[in-house]
Each structure stands twice: as C-alpha cells, then as structure tokens.
Amino acid sequence: MKLKVNIKKIKSIENLEINLPIEKGLYAITGQNGSGKSTVVTAASCVFFTLPMNDYFGITEEDSRIDFELNGAKRAWFKESGKWKKFSNGKMTIKGFYEGSLIFGNRFRNTNYETLKKFDTIDTTKLTEAPDFIKENLGIILQNNKNFYEKLFVLKWKDIDSKSNFTRDIFYYKKGEKRVSQFHMSTGENLMVSILNSIYIRNNDRASLLKPCLMFLDEIELALHPSSLKRLINFLKEISTRFNYAIYFSTHSIELISGILPDNIFFIERYPDDSLDVLNPCYPAYATRILYDHSGYDHIFLVEDDLAKSIINKILKKKNLLSNRLVHVLPCGGYTNVIDLAEEVVNSNLVGKTSKIMIVLDGDVKQASKAYLANKQYTNNIPLNYLPIESLEKYLKESLISKVDREIFKLLNDYVFQQKSLQNIIEEYKSENDLSKDSNGKIFYKYIDSELRARNKTRDELVIMIVDYLFNKNDTNLTKIAEFFDKQLS
C-alpha cells in the first residue's frame, strides 16, 4: 500500500507526484542540492502533522496545495483567500512524526536568552529521570556505549511555564557533578535526544501495530558523525521491524543511502527547465552521484542492476580473476544512468587516476546504448561490453511466460513460490494485464515481488538462484564475457 502525495507550487516544486510505501522499512528521498527533497519530506508530513504552513513554506501562490490519498481516503491542504485550509474525505488511519531541518527542527525557537538561563539553573527536584530507552540509545548511537550518559533527566513540557513558549520536553544530562541542559548539548545530542523522545512517545502510543506509522527525518546527517549514522541506521532498522514503522530520510549522505535497498530509494531529478521527476528504484551510486566511498579500487565495473553484479562477481571468482587486485562491481540503474555516471567519473576524476573504470550493460540494450553514446557525443574510451542476459525483469518474463524454461520454472516454483504457485501468479498477471504493453517485464515483476515480500523473501535470494542456474548450464556466452574481463584486468 502506498501514500500518494501530490505537491503543487510549494517552494521550488511546481508540480510533483510521489507514491510512498507505508510498509515497515527504511526509505530515502534524495537528490542534488536544491532538488526539493526537504520540501517533499516536509509536505508529506502534513498528512498527519499540522504545520504552521507559512513558517515552513514561506510565501506561496494562491493555488498552492498538497493532496494525499491512501486506500481511497483523501486529505488536502490548500490556499483559500490567503489562508491555508484543510480538507478530508474518508478515514485515513495513519500516524507519524517529523523531525525537521536545523532551522525548523529546533525545539527552542521563540525564546530569549534570559529564559534559557532560567532553565539552565532550574531546581533538580522539578526534573524526573528520562526513560532508559532514551538514555541508553543516546549513548549507543553517539558514543557506542549505552552507559555513556550517567544520568539523563527530563523537564516535562506540561510542567513548563506557558509564557516560555515551550511545547516540548527539555532534557538534561549529568556526568559527575556537571549538569548540562539541552540548550548547551552538541547539535548531535540535541537532535538525537529529540528524535529518541519522539520515538519513545510513539512506541508507547502503538495500540495497534497494524496501523501504518511514518517517520520523516530531514537531513539528520548534518549533525552526526558517519559512525553515529551507521549505528543510527542499525537502531532504526530494529525498531522499524519491531514497531512497524516506515522511516524516511531526506538525505544525500552515502552512509545513509548505502544501507537502503534500491527499491526504497526515491531520487528527485531536477532538469534544466526546473521540471521534476522521481527515479525509483534507484541505486546508491546514482543517488549520491559520487564514488568517493569506492576510491582505492584497482578496477571498478559500472553495471545496471544487482543481477549483473551477481553474474560478474560469480565469473570473477570462478575464473580466479581477483588475485592481487581490488575489484568492485557497482550497480547504477538503467543503461543511461551507467553511461552518464561513467562520463562524470572520468571527467571529474572522482575515483582517482589509479582506478580503471569499465562498463558492462545488459545484453538487450546494445543498439540503444550505442545510439545514446552517439547522441551524447561521449568520447571517454571507457571499455564497454554486454552481458549475455537481459535485466532480471525481462529474463523472468521471457523464461517463465514468453518462452518457458521448464528447469528454472520448476526451480523457482519449488524453492521460492511454495505457498502461492508461479502458475497462479502468472494466471493472475495475464488476466489483469495486456502483455504486449509489458515488454520490459516490469509489470510482471511487481507480481513476483509482491509474493516475495509476502513470504519475507528478497530480490537477492531470487538473483542468487538464477545466477547459480545459469552457471550450472555452462552457457557459452558466459565464457565470452569472462574473456573480456580477463583482458581488462590483466
């Protein structure tokens, strides 16, 4: 199930539609600076959170609006006579919380210095011990030590003088005899204690884990060290599974994106005419558009998807081509993404002069890729070759429907699709679709993917089985591509 969000004339976004899954897991909304990713996250949070719209979006046009649709129910925010108004039609059962940017995520706005000083010296008797969930996870994420913060206290917002303009809890930690208020914590501590408090409140409010709950976190990497980010990812993965949270990051951090599945990455592409498009799925390499995390390798293969990566890694191992060299295979998305990224890598020297870049594309895009290269007039002379197999989606449609390969059909049916058979999935697909309009197999793959998710299986498991099957067949075309690798790695 997906939350459909349509944003019209908000900040730099003229018109954008994005469909956000609400199933548990980690998701990333990314894009280059100025692409509108933070605006998307902020706008999407309006589905469950009443924002001061003028503060967050500034001056907007009279026909600005944000529309939501989930399972037939609709909500909207729209401008009318200069004011923002809300519309609802149907029951939309969804919860969540939003942690905004450093500007709008600050818990202590509209407060003067004298008020802050009073909170610094507040009587300890007015404080209560913060939950261990917040104290221990704050220590684990920031310091890799759950006991780092000896004491963590909280001043509940309901006990705060209403004249102070505070509507959130205020935290204090104590180390030895020193007590530090949240106003004087580091930016990372300030951010994390607020997020952990919001998660703690939401955890205790989960009367039914069946109700969807979204978390939107905007550019949290600005305040956290890379090692803390990785520990935060592990923590969020755990609570996502435990409490059924769909957690969205607005980010361009490779530390965050590298831990998220391509299916869960939404890349907002802004074109020269300021029009926008959403690329999903999107591989981390394309989403970050930088490869500094992959520098230091002797050879880097840029490929389209995880099937290509698995095939190449298998060839390299079987042919003993990895001796005394560091080789990395990097999925980037469609063939145009691979070609564009390769051009950028070479022209900008993103991985250093010691790394050799090579392109390996799926076998069915040979003519299209040559035409694309000619049209773009790229002249980087990067070695290029093609796999003897099309994309995973095309391969499955070809092997299971168009020209049935009985061996792979039986293999997948026996070991992957045991509860709902492949035959039933195919019949359902055929009855609901015009097969002539699914030449790339993407529609068929959605049926496959839906059943995989229902059985807690992954695309990776499917890919491994197919790659092993291809090698067991001793396909002669694999020998040709192996010879290409041997030549380029020598």
Side-chain angles (χ1 to χ4, degrees):
M1 192 181 300
K2 295 183 179 182
L3 173 67
K4 181 179 178 181
V5 185
N6 193 284
I7 304 168
K8 181 181 179 183
K9 296 187 177 179
I10 302 289
K11 296 181 72 172
S12 63
I13 297 178
E14 183 69 19
N15 191 36
L16 180 68
E17 181 180 303
I18 187 168
N19 294 292
L20 304 176
I22 62 173
E23 287 81 16
K24 63 185 177 184
L26 269 55
Y27 302 83
I29 297 176
T30 185
Q32 295 181 338
N33 291 333
S35 62
K37 57 185 180 295
S38 292
T39 302
V40 170
V41 166
T42 308
S45 69
C46 293
V47 71
F48 55 75
F49 185 43
T50 301
L51 295 174
M53 307 294 276
N54 291 331
D55 287 350
Y56 278 77
F57 298 126
I59 299 173
T60 51
E61 298 182 38
E62 279 302 305
D63 55 347
S64 299
R65 63 182 294 133
I66 308 169
D67 290 279
F68 304 96
E69 185 173 343
L70 177 64
N71 199 26
K74 296 181 179 181
R75 286 183 184 174
W77 286 92
F78 61 96
K79 288 284 288 289
E80 187 176 281
S81 301
K83 295 183 178 180
W84 282 97
K85 296 187 178 182
K86 191 176 181 179
F87 163 83
S88 296
N89 182 12
K91 187 176 181 181
M92 190 177 290
T93 54
I94 192 166
K95 290 188 173 184
F97 81 83
Y98 164 71
E99 172 60 40
S101 64
L102 293 180
I103 297 174
F104 293 112
N106 190 339
R107 303 300 186 191
F108 313 120
R109 291 183 294 134
N110 305 322
T111 305
N112 58 50
Y113 181 66
E114 292 302 318
T115 302
L116 295 182
K117 286 204 311 184
K118 290 179 182 178
F119 283 117
D120 277 345
T121 58
I122 196 167
D123 192 327
T124 303
T125 60
K126 294 184 178 181
L127 306 180
T128 58
E129 286 200 27
D132 286 343
F133 174 87
I134 299 176
K135 179 175 76 73
E136 292 180 0
N137 283 303
L138 184 67
I140 290 171
I141 293 168
L142 296 182
Q143 304 294 336
N144 201 26
N145 179 1
K146 74 174 185 178
N147 298 315
F148 181 83
Y149 297 94
E150 298 172 7
K151 292 285 186 180
L152 187 69
F153 300 99
V154 60
L155 177 62
K156 294 291 185 180
W157 68 270
K158 62 183 179 181
D159 298 325
I160 300 174
D161 186 347
S162 60
K163 295 180 181 179
S164 301
N165 292 322
F166 282 92
T167 58
R168 297 296 180 100
D169 300 338
I170 302 172
F171 287 84
Y172 301 75
Y173 72 75
K174 190 174 182 180
K175 289 184 73 68
E177 296 301 315
K178 185 179 181 181
R179 191 183 75 182
V180 178
S181 74
Q182 196 170 349
F183 314 110
H184 296 295
M185 292 182 187
S186 70
T187 304
E189 288 172 326
N190 194 336
L191 173 73
M192 280 312 309
V193 78
S194 294
I195 290 176
L196 288 169
N197 187 40
S198 294
I199 293 175
Y200 178 76
I201 293 170
R202 186 56 64 204
N203 288 351
N204 292 328
D205 189 39
R206 298 291 281 153
S208 171
L209 295 183
L210 298 178
K211 183 178 290 187
C213 188
L214 306 181
M215 295 185 186
F216 290 107
L217 306 176
D218 186 16
E219 295 192 341
I220 58 175
E221 72 270 15
L222 297 179
L224 297 179
H225 187 274
S227 63
S228 296
L229 277 176
K230 290 181 179 179
R231 291 191 290 269
L232 174 62
I233 286 289
N234 292 333
F235 165 74
L236 292 176
K237 282 180 178 178
E238 180 184 340
I239 67 160
S240 170
T241 300
R242 183 178 174 189
F243 291 98
N244 191 24
Y245 292 133
I247 303 174
Y248 282 84
F249 302 97
S250 162
T251 183
H252 44 67
S253 163
I254 196 166
E255 286 84 8
L256 280 173
I257 296 173
S258 62
I260 298 178
L261 297 172
D263 282 352
N264 292 2
I265 297 177
F266 298 80
F267 184 83
I268 301 175
E269 185 88 74
R270 183 176 290 277
Y271 297 101
D273 62 356
D274 269 346
S275 62
L276 297 174
D277 195 13
V278 178
L279 179 63
N280 171 258
C282 180
Y283 282 86
Y286 189 81
T288 57
R289 301 303 287 271
I290 49 175
L291 297 180
Y292 67 84
D293 193 46
H294 308 288
S295 60
Y297 286 99
D298 300 309
H299 305 273
I300 298 175
F301 289 95
L302 301 183
V303 302
E304 292 188 53
D305 56 22
D306 43 11
L307 179 62
K309 178 179 178 179
S310 292
I311 293 174
I312 292 173
N313 280 332
K314 190 100 174 181
I315 294 173
L316 295 176
K317 290 178 182 178
K318 285 183 75 72
K319 301 299 181 181
N320 298 316
L321 297 176
L322 295 176
S323 301
N324 303 317
R325 56 175 67 90
L326 289 174
V327 179
H328 191 56
V329 184
L330 193 61
C332 305
Y335 75 91
T336 58
N337 292 355
V338 177
I339 293 171
D340 289 342
L341 190 56
E343 176 75 5
E344 188 173 347
V345 168
V346 171
N347 288 343
S348 302
N349 193 29
L350 293 179
V351 294
K353 294 182 179 180
T354 59
S355 298
K356 183 177 180 180
I357 303 295
M358 287 160 281
I359 299 173
V360 180
L361 302 177
D362 295 345
D364 61 328
V365 299
K366 183 177 291 188
Q367 298 305 318
S369 62
K370 289 181 178 179
Y372 187 78
L373 282 165
N375 183 55
K376 286 284 190 173
Q377 297 183 339
Y378 290 158
T379 56
N380 50 46
N381 295 319
I382 298 175
L384 184 154
N385 211 315
Y386 300 88
L387 291 174
I389 187 174
E390 54 269 83
S391 68
L392 176 61
E393 293 83 358
K394 285 185 179 180
Y395 176 79
L396 289 172
K397 183 171 182 288
E398 177 71 22
S399 301
L400 301 177
I401 297 178
S402 302
K403 188 177 180 181
V404 178
D405 183 326
R406 295 182 181 182
E407 289 184 58
I408 192 66
F409 187 101
K410 189 174 186 307
L411 180 68
L412 296 179
N413 202 45
D414 290 347
Y415 293 98
V416 181
F417 303 100
Q418 297 171 323
Q419 296 189 16
K420 186 176 181 180
S421 71
L422 259 179
Q423 188 63 44
N424 288 340
I425 294 172
I426 292 170
E427 288 176 358
E428 186 177 323
Y429 162 71
K430 286 182 174 180
S431 66
E432 296 177 357
N433 297 277
D434 180 352
L435 273 60
S436 65
K437 295 181 179 179
D438 187 29
S439 59
N440 58 16
K442 291 187 181 296
I443 298 175
F444 175 55
Y445 183 75
K446 289 181 180 179
Y447 287 77
I448 297 289
D449 185 60
S450 177
E451 184 62 17
L452 287 174
R453 292 173 184 266
R455 305 301 161 213
N456 290 319
K457 295 183 182 293
T458 67
R459 178 183 172 100
D460 288 344
E461 294 177 72
L462 189 64
V463 167
I464 290 170
M465 292 187 69
I466 291 173
V467 170
D468 286 341
Y469 170 73
L470 290 172
F471 274 90
N472 289 336
K473 287 182 62 177
N474 294 317
D475 193 318
T476 56
N477 288 317
L478 292 177
T479 303
K480 294 180 180 179
I481 192 72
E483 291 172 354
F484 167 78
F485 295 155
D486 190 22
K487 178 181 179 182
Q488 296 304 324
L489 295 174
S490 62

